Amino acid sequence: MSEQKEGGPQKFDQVAINSIWREHIKKERAILKLNDKFRLNPKALTANMITEKPNVPPERLGYTITAEPEMIAELDSVLKETKKVPTEKYSEPATSSQEVGWYSKTLMDGRKKFGVSNCEITSYANAYCQAMGRNPFARKEPIVKNAA
């Protein structure tokens, strides 16, 4: 296949590289499965819904509103399924890119997030900009002038 130098890394020729790549693609295709089930897209579902006029009852226009509990339950389960992350949907990573962080956990799960508060100088600069219409750190004169 290729010659190995003494103490050096093994170099592959183009045929060997293509053979390795073919094996890699073959393994990845064996894992992947085509999704033949029809699924609703929740974004398209909500984007195409146009409600009727609120002051006209649907019965007056000849519409009857009936929703079967099975249909509502199925729609609810489909919408919940679309919000799952890949680790909740599949037992193993589907692509080689997913293998990178598949089994990792968050290091700081209960970390508190505090908002950023302004210091005295930032509060002063904001108040100055609103009152004078100019940055207090600029070398130009303020826009607001004393009216005498």
Side-chain angles (χ1 to χ4, degrees), residues 6 9-10 16 19 21 29 39 49 59 64 67 74 81 89 96 103 109 115 126-127 129 131 136 138 141 146:
E6 295 179 24
Q10 186 178 16
S19 175
W21 182 248
R29 284 185 179 167
R39 294 192 179 244
M49 293 177 92
E59 294 83 17
T64 56
E74 181 183 354
E81 181 74 23
K89 288 182 186 179
S96 59
Y103 298 107
D109 195 24
N126 287 339
C129 287
E141 290 295 320
N146 293 337

Side-chain angles (χ1 to χ4, degrees), residues 120-139:
E120 295 173 5
I121 297 172
T122 308
S123 301
Y124 166 75
N126 287 339
Y128 187 91
C129 287
Q130 288 178 353
M132 302 303 261
R134 187 75 63 139
N135 186 343
F137 307 110
R139 294 182 184 222

Side-chain angles (χ1 to χ4, degrees), residues 2 28 39 42 85-86 95 110 118 136 140 143:
S2 66
E28 199 165 298
R39 294 192 179 244
V85 294
T95 63
N118 291 339
K140 296 181 181 177
I143 295 174

Side-chain angles (χ1 to χ4, degrees), residues 13-29:
D13 58 348
Q14 194 62 36
V15 176
I17 292 171
N18 285 340
S19 175
I20 293 169
W21 182 248
R22 260 188 261 114
E23 289 175 16
H24 175 75
I25 296 296
K26 192 176 189 182
K27 288 178 185 177
E28 199 165 298
R29 284 185 179 167

